[in-house]
Amino acid sequence: MISQLFVLSQRGDNIVFRDYRGEVPKGSAEIFFRRVKFWKEDEGGDAPPVFNVDGVNYFHVKVAGLLFVATTRANVSPSLVLEFLQRNARVIKDYLGVLSEESLRKNFVLVYELLDEIIDFGYVQTTSTELLKSYVFNEPIMVDAAILPNLGPAALFVEGAKRMPGTAVTKSVVANEPRGRKRDEIFVDVIEKISVTFSSSGYILTSEIDGTIQMKSYLTGNPEIRLALNDDLSIGRGGRSSYDYSSASGAGSVTLDSCNFHELVHLDSFETDRTLIMAAPEGEFSVMNYRISQEFRPPFRINALIEEVGPLKAEVIIKLRAEFSSSVTANSIFVQMPLPAYTSRASFELEPGTVGNTTDFKESSKRLEWGLKKIVGGSEHTLRAKLTFSQEMHGNITKEAGPVSMTFTIPMYSASRVLVKYLQIEQKASTSNPYRWVRYVTQSNSYVARL
């Protein structure tokens, strides 16, 4: 049971606000934003997705830079509300084509109409894009793609017309093409977020993959689709304990610890030929979520070293090596490392001929930052930083610095080797030939190297 639902911008502006039960004060949006903004100063770290202030429970998720928030005084399941907020954001994105502050402001009438159909007196009725089409009649106002903010991995859809059409992430499921016709398309994403922790000597201490297979369907008539995965895919601990590194082509067993599927997926043939069958509804949804905690080959190796070179000086050396094929390129690599609290200055030295790198020393937070625009597979990159301290060191310097953390995005790369063999669509008319797009994205969830 939800009392209020509102959407805030990164500045705290109230873009959308709905009060369903009148049980929570009207100023809850301002109370929430102030609490989240100053949480790091008061409590340390970022605000948790669920917290309580003066008897009001606040639930929030961040999607595309926007804060989707629900409040209630009742004792409800946190996971239920958080899942609803994620689905609500996805439904709005399906109807608007793209989720941003500008698209919400331009389509506030449509958004309020959606919220009135999704929630009735605080109770969720449906989050199905397909079912809502019968009750929502406002047409979306499209946002110019040229002024969209950074879309993250979704920006791959609009990079290069030769690979994918520019309308892939900006198209609404209810809006027609300019000539009044709708183009049948379906997009399949295999998105994996990996967490790896390296020891000071470079060995892997922990490794984990959280993956999802997402679809965005523009197919009319809900045709039956068949999505075939690896034949050697196994679930549970009965498979091999680690990956076979001898083959770069991805041969070898792929073992998932656990997985779950969309409610519309039929698993009749999954055990025999690893095929998922479903009547795909229009819109964006997760077909399958999976988790892997067994050893896998990490895309990057990080080696970091900090050592004293004088009474008030030290040197940091960070090396990155891309362990994937040279045909693959990683984008938006960002490395940061906490430095000792008494660090007063840092100067940087990069390899000769380096292009597109940025370095910075954040004096307020005592943090070293290193940004790389892209890294080609098989390459190695080194950063040297000379530190100056305001006082002499007392104790082991490695205990006062680090660990090194890293974020990145690798398009068309699957760390787990989960692959889509084919996507088959039951064609109701001989002239129908839907477009199919499949891509892979690997992102860092927690990528850390100890000193």
Side-chain angles (χ1 to χ4, degrees), residues 280-313:
E282 290 190 59
E284 186 177 348
F285 56 93
S286 295
V287 179
M288 173 183 174
N289 299 303
Y290 57 91
R291 180 176 177 272
I292 298 175
S293 61
Q294 301 182 52
E295 183 182 355
F296 62 92
R297 174 179 287 175
F300 289 100
R301 290 278 178 178
I302 311 177
N303 292 100
L305 174 67
I306 181 171
E307 56 182 6
E308 302 177 30
V309 293
L312 294 174
K313 294 184 181 295

Coordinates of all heavy atoms in Angstrom, one line a residue, residues 280-313:
A280 N 5.8 -12.4 -26.7 CA 6.4 -11.2 -26.1 C 5.4 -10.0 -26.1 O 4.9 -9.7 -27.2 CB 7.6 -10.8 -27.0
P281 N 5.1 -9.4 -25.0 CA 4.3 -8.2 -25.0 C 5.1 -7.0 -25.5 O 6.3 -7.1 -25.5 CB 4.0 -8.1 -23.5 CG 5.1 -8.7 -22.8 CD 5.6 -9.8 -23.6
E282 N 4.4 -6.0 -25.9 CA 5.1 -4.8 -26.3 C 5.7 -4.1 -25.1 O 5.1 -4.0 -24.0 CB 4.2 -3.9 -27.1 CG 3.8 -4.4 -28.4 CD 3.0 -3.3 -29.2 OE1 3.6 -2.3 -29.5 OE2 1.9 -3.6 -29.6
G283 N 6.9 -3.5 -25.3 CA 7.6 -2.8 -24.3 C 8.8 -3.5 -23.8 O 9.3 -4.4 -24.5
E284 N 9.4 -3.0 -22.7 CA 10.7 -3.5 -22.2 C 10.5 -4.3 -21.0 O 9.7 -4.0 -20.1 CB 11.6 -2.3 -21.9 CG 13.0 -2.7 -21.5 CD 13.9 -1.5 -21.2 OE1 13.5 -0.3 -21.6 OE2 15.0 -1.7 -20.7
F285 N 11.1 -5.5 -20.9 CA 11.0 -6.4 -19.8 C 12.2 -7.3 -19.7 O 12.9 -7.5 -20.7 CB 9.7 -7.2 -19.9 CG 9.6 -8.0 -21.2 CD1 10.0 -9.3 -21.3 CD2 9.1 -7.4 -22.4 CE1 10.0 -10.0 -22.5 CE2 9.0 -8.1 -23.6 CZ 9.5 -9.4 -23.6
S286 N 12.4 -7.9 -18.5 CA 13.5 -8.8 -18.3 C 13.0 -10.3 -18.6 O 12.0 -10.7 -18.0 CB 14.0 -8.7 -16.9 OG 14.6 -7.5 -16.7
V287 N 13.6 -10.9 -19.5 CA 13.3 -12.3 -19.8 C 13.9 -13.3 -18.8 O 13.2 -14.2 -18.4 CB 13.8 -12.7 -21.3 CG1 13.4 -14.1 -21.6 CG2 13.2 -11.7 -22.3
M288 N 15.1 -13.0 -18.4 CA 15.8 -14.0 -17.5 C 16.8 -13.2 -16.7 O 17.5 -12.3 -17.3 CB 16.5 -15.1 -18.4 CG 17.4 -16.0 -17.6 SD 18.2 -17.2 -18.8 CE 19.3 -18.0 -17.7
N289 N 16.9 -13.5 -15.4 CA 18.0 -13.0 -14.6 C 18.8 -14.2 -14.1 O 18.3 -15.2 -13.8 CB 17.4 -12.2 -13.4 CG 16.6 -11.0 -13.8 OD1 17.1 -10.2 -14.5 ND2 15.3 -11.0 -13.4
Y290 N 20.1 -14.0 -14.0 CA 21.0 -15.1 -13.6 C 22.2 -14.6 -12.8 O 22.5 -13.4 -12.8 CB 21.5 -15.9 -14.8 CG 22.2 -15.1 -15.8 CD1 23.6 -15.0 -15.8 CD2 21.6 -14.6 -16.9 CE1 24.3 -14.3 -16.7 CE2 22.2 -13.8 -17.9 CZ 23.6 -13.7 -17.8 OH 24.3 -13.0 -18.7
R291 N 22.8 -15.5 -12.0 CA 23.9 -15.1 -11.2 C 25.0 -16.2 -11.3 O 24.7 -17.4 -11.3 CB 23.4 -15.0 -9.7 CG 24.5 -14.6 -8.7 CD 23.9 -14.4 -7.3 NE 25.0 -14.1 -6.4 CZ 25.6 -15.1 -5.7 NH1 25.4 -16.3 -5.9 NH2 26.5 -14.7 -4.8
I292 N 26.2 -15.8 -11.3 CA 27.4 -16.7 -11.4 C 28.4 -16.3 -10.3 O 28.8 -15.1 -10.3 CB 28.0 -16.7 -12.8 CG1 27.0 -17.2 -13.9 CG2 29.3 -17.5 -12.8 CD1 27.6 -17.0 -15.3
S293 N 28.8 -17.2 -9.5 CA 29.8 -16.8 -8.5 C 31.0 -17.7 -8.6 O 31.9 -17.6 -7.8 CB 29.2 -17.0 -7.1 OG 28.8 -18.4 -6.9
Q294 N 31.1 -18.5 -9.7 CA 32.2 -19.3 -9.9 C 33.3 -18.5 -10.6 O 33.0 -17.4 -11.2 CB 31.9 -20.5 -10.8 CG 30.8 -21.4 -10.1 CD 30.5 -22.6 -10.9 OE1 31.4 -23.3 -11.3 NE2 29.2 -22.8 -11.2
E295 N 34.5 -19.0 -10.7 CA 35.6 -18.3 -11.3 C 35.4 -18.1 -12.8 O 35.0 -19.0 -13.5 CB 36.9 -19.1 -11.0 CG 38.1 -18.4 -11.5 CD 39.4 -19.2 -11.3 OE1 39.3 -20.3 -10.7 OE2 40.5 -18.8 -11.8
F296 N 35.7 -16.9 -13.2 CA 35.7 -16.6 -14.6 C 36.8 -15.6 -15.0 O 37.5 -15.1 -14.1 CB 34.3 -15.9 -15.0 CG 34.1 -14.6 -14.3 CD1 34.5 -13.4 -14.9 CD2 33.5 -14.5 -13.1 CE1 34.2 -12.2 -14.3 CE2 33.2 -13.3 -12.4 CZ 33.6 -12.1 -13.0
R297 N 37.1 -15.5 -16.3 CA 38.2 -14.7 -16.7 C 37.8 -13.2 -16.6 O 36.9 -12.8 -17.4 CB 38.7 -15.0 -18.1 CG 39.7 -14.1 -18.6 CD 40.2 -14.5 -20.0 NE 41.0 -15.7 -20.0 CZ 41.4 -16.3 -21.1 NH1 41.1 -15.8 -22.3 NH2 42.1 -17.4 -21.0
P298 N 38.4 -12.4 -15.8 CA 38.0 -11.0 -15.7 C 38.5 -10.2 -16.9 O 39.5 -10.5 -17.5 CB 38.7 -10.5 -14.4 CG 39.9 -11.4 -14.3 CD 39.5 -12.7 -14.8
P299 N 37.7 -9.2 -17.3 CA 38.2 -8.5 -18.5 C 39.4 -7.6 -18.3 O 40.1 -7.3 -19.3 CB 36.9 -7.6 -18.8 CG 36.2 -7.5 -17.5 CD 36.4 -8.8 -16.8
F300 N 39.6 -7.2 -17.1 CA 40.8 -6.4 -16.8 C 41.6 -7.0 -15.6 O 41.0 -7.6 -14.7 CB 40.4 -4.9 -16.4 CG 39.9 -4.1 -17.5 CD1 38.5 -4.0 -17.7 CD2 40.7 -3.5 -18.4 CE1 38.0 -3.2 -18.7 CE2 40.2 -2.8 -19.5 CZ 38.8 -2.6 -19.6
R301 N 42.9 -6.8 -15.7 CA 43.8 -7.0 -14.5 C 44.3 -5.7 -14.0 O 44.8 -4.9 -14.8 CB 45.0 -7.9 -15.0 CG 44.6 -9.3 -15.3 CD 44.5 -10.2 -14.0 NE 44.1 -11.5 -14.4 CZ 43.9 -12.5 -13.5 NH1 44.2 -12.3 -12.2 NH2 43.5 -13.7 -13.8
I302 N 44.2 -5.5 -12.7 CA 44.7 -4.3 -12.1 C 45.8 -4.6 -11.1 O 45.7 -5.5 -10.3 CB 43.6 -3.6 -11.3 CG1 42.3 -3.4 -12.1 CG2 44.1 -2.2 -10.8 CD1 41.2 -2.8 -11.3
N303 N 46.9 -3.9 -11.3 CA 48.0 -4.0 -10.4 C 48.4 -2.6 -9.9 O 48.6 -1.7 -10.7 CB 49.3 -4.6 -11.0 CG 49.1 -6.1 -11.4 OD1 48.8 -6.4 -12.5 ND2 49.2 -7.0 -10.4
A304 N 48.4 -2.5 -8.5 CA 48.6 -1.2 -7.9 C 49.7 -1.3 -6.9 O 49.8 -2.2 -6.1 CB 47.3 -0.6 -7.3
L305 N 50.6 -0.3 -6.8 CA 51.7 -0.2 -5.9 C 51.9 1.2 -5.4 O 51.8 2.1 -6.2 CB 53.0 -0.7 -6.6 CG 54.2 -0.7 -5.7 CD1 54.2 -1.6 -4.6 CD2 55.5 -0.9 -6.6
I306 N 52.0 1.3 -4.1 CA 52.4 2.6 -3.5 C 53.6 2.4 -2.6 O 53.6 1.5 -1.8 CB 51.2 3.3 -2.7 CG1 51.6 4.6 -2.2 CG2 50.7 2.4 -1.7 CD1 50.4 5.4 -1.6
E307 N 54.6 3.2 -2.8 CA 55.8 3.1 -1.9 C 56.4 4.4 -1.6 O 56.3 5.4 -2.4 CB 56.9 2.2 -2.7 CG 57.2 2.7 -4.0 CD 58.2 1.7 -4.7 OE1 58.5 0.6 -4.2 OE2 58.7 2.1 -5.8
E308 N 57.1 4.5 -0.5 CA 57.8 5.7 0.0 C 59.0 6.0 -0.9 O 59.8 5.0 -1.2 CB 58.2 5.6 1.4 CG 57.0 5.3 2.4 CD 57.4 5.2 3.8 OE1 58.5 5.8 4.2 OE2 56.8 4.4 4.5
V309 N 59.3 7.2 -1.2 CA 60.5 7.6 -2.0 C 61.2 8.7 -1.2 O 62.2 9.3 -1.8 CB 60.2 8.0 -3.4 CG1 59.7 6.8 -4.2 CG2 59.2 9.2 -3.4
G310 N 60.8 9.1 0.0 CA 61.4 10.1 0.7 C 60.5 10.4 2.0 O 59.5 9.8 2.2
P311 N 61.0 11.2 2.9 CA 60.3 11.4 4.1 C 58.9 12.0 3.9 O 58.0 11.8 4.7 CB 61.2 12.4 4.9 CG 62.0 13.0 3.9 CD 62.2 12.0 2.8
L312 N 58.7 12.8 2.9 CA 57.4 13.5 2.6 C 56.9 13.2 1.2 O 56.1 13.9 0.6 CB 57.5 15.0 2.8 CG 57.8 15.5 4.2 CD1 58.0 17.0 4.2 CD2 56.6 15.1 5.1
K313 N 57.4 12.1 0.6 CA 57.0 11.8 -0.8 C 56.7 10.3 -0.9 O 57.3 9.5 -0.2 CB 58.1 12.2 -1.8 CG 58.3 13.7 -1.8 CD 59.4 14.1 -2.9 CE 59.6 15.6 -2.9 NZ 58.4 16.3 -3.4

